[in-house]
Amino acid sequence: MLFGSISYLNLLPFQVFLKRYIKNNAASMSFRYKRAVPSKINQALKKREINAAFISSVESRRCTCTDLGIIARGNVYSVLLLKGENLADPASATSNRLAKVLNLEGRVLIGDAALKYYLDGGEGVDMAQAWYEKTGLPFVFARLCYNQNGIYIKKLAKTFASKNIKIPQYILKQEAKKRGITPKQLTWYLAQIYYTMGHKEKRSLKKFLSAS
């Protein structure tokens, strides 16, 4: 099975879990990764170049999905709208559409680059917070979707949702160093994100997709 992987910090807990999970399952023998930015992963799943991945919410309506997502209730600090000329982030699908739904103008910046920009003192509109202020609901940026091996993926999603993933210090230090931030900042950032979709999250996603 080929799993699409987005190399952003917001999926670090899942990536740590996934390596442990497949190590303890026979399926690990046939498990491979394809890494890319969200917009590329969306296309890869659509073309069946990969079998499962966290797909941008705006594209997930066309997919078979689990109840795992990348979710923030209020500020997320890694999806920003900066002052200036209207400019989409080519790595994004959902965040570019969210800016339009919120009637915001400026340059969209997402992912680790946006987080680093914020931590370095940069200013911008946090779009997850803007959505929360408008709707009172959390925002779902992506969902874990698949096009085959459904039983395996649903079991994997259920197992992840039941776990409290602890990231080893050496991984925190390694990933933080790559992004030019501290392990403490990384841990703080991950505390802003959660992954299990309940009633409010599904209602929020439906509202967003209806407006998109």
Side-chain angles (χ1 to χ4, degrees):
M1 184 170 68
L2 188 55
F3 202 101
S5 180
I6 301 169
S7 299
Y8 289 164
L9 287 174
N10 56 22
L11 271 181
L12 183 59
F14 183 77
Q15 290 161 351
V16 169
F17 159 79
L18 193 56
K19 287 180 180 179
R20 294 173 183 168
Y21 186 85
I22 62 176
K23 187 177 181 181
N24 297 320
N25 287 270
S28 62
M29 296 298 293
S30 59
F31 202 100
R32 294 177 295 132
Y33 293 97
K34 177 183 176 68
R35 296 187 182 277
V37 298
S39 57
K40 298 293 185 182
I41 291 293
N42 295 344
Q43 290 300 313
L45 188 74
K46 183 178 180 180
K47 294 177 181 178
R48 304 185 76 86
E49 295 171 355
I50 58 176
N51 307 124
F54 278 86
I55 295 299
S56 299
S57 290
V58 74
E59 297 292 338
S60 69
R61 63 181 124 202
R62 303 180 184 92
C63 303
T64 304
C65 302
T66 69
D67 285 340
L68 282 189
I70 300 174
I71 311 161
R73 185 181 292 107
N75 289 311
V76 71
Y77 304 103
S78 58
V79 179
L80 304 175
L81 192 86
L82 313 184
K83 288 183 179 180
E85 179 185 359
N86 285 351
L87 191 63
D89 189 322
S92 172
T94 292
S95 300
N96 293 333
R97 191 66 58 87
L98 179 57
K100 294 180 179 179
V101 169
L102 292 170
N103 294 315
L104 295 173
E105 296 187 348
R107 178 165 72 94
V108 176
L109 184 64
I110 73 163
D112 298 346
L115 176 63
K116 183 69 164 60
Y117 173 85
Y118 171 80
L119 290 173
D120 286 346
E123 296 183 353
V125 175
D126 189 307
M127 287 198 279
Q129 177 64 19
W131 175 261
Y132 185 77
E133 290 174 358
K134 180 178 180 178
T135 67
L137 295 168
F139 190 78
V140 181
F141 288 97
R143 299 176 71 191
L144 177 59
C145 304
Y146 58 91
N147 55 35
Q148 69 177 52
N149 302 109
I151 292 175
Y152 179 81
I153 295 298
K154 285 188 282 188
K155 182 180 178 181
L156 184 151
K158 186 175 180 180
T159 303
F160 175 71
S162 69
K163 299 286 186 180
N164 180 22
I165 306 300
K166 293 184 178 180
I167 302 173
Q169 280 297 314
Y170 81 92
I171 293 180
L172 284 174
K173 291 177 180 178
Q174 175 181 299
E175 295 300 323
K177 185 177 181 179
K178 285 181 186 177
R179 278 87 175 175
I181 63 176
T182 68
K184 185 176 181 180
Q185 287 172 325
L186 195 163
T187 302
W188 164 82
Y189 168 63
L190 290 178
Q192 318 306 315
I193 297 164
Y194 64 103
Y195 303 95
T196 303
M197 293 179 63
H199 175 70
K200 285 186 177 181
E201 290 76 17
K202 292 177 182 178
R203 183 154 60 93
S204 177
L205 179 62
K206 184 177 180 179
K207 183 183 285 287
F208 170 65
L209 293 179
S210 296
S212 298

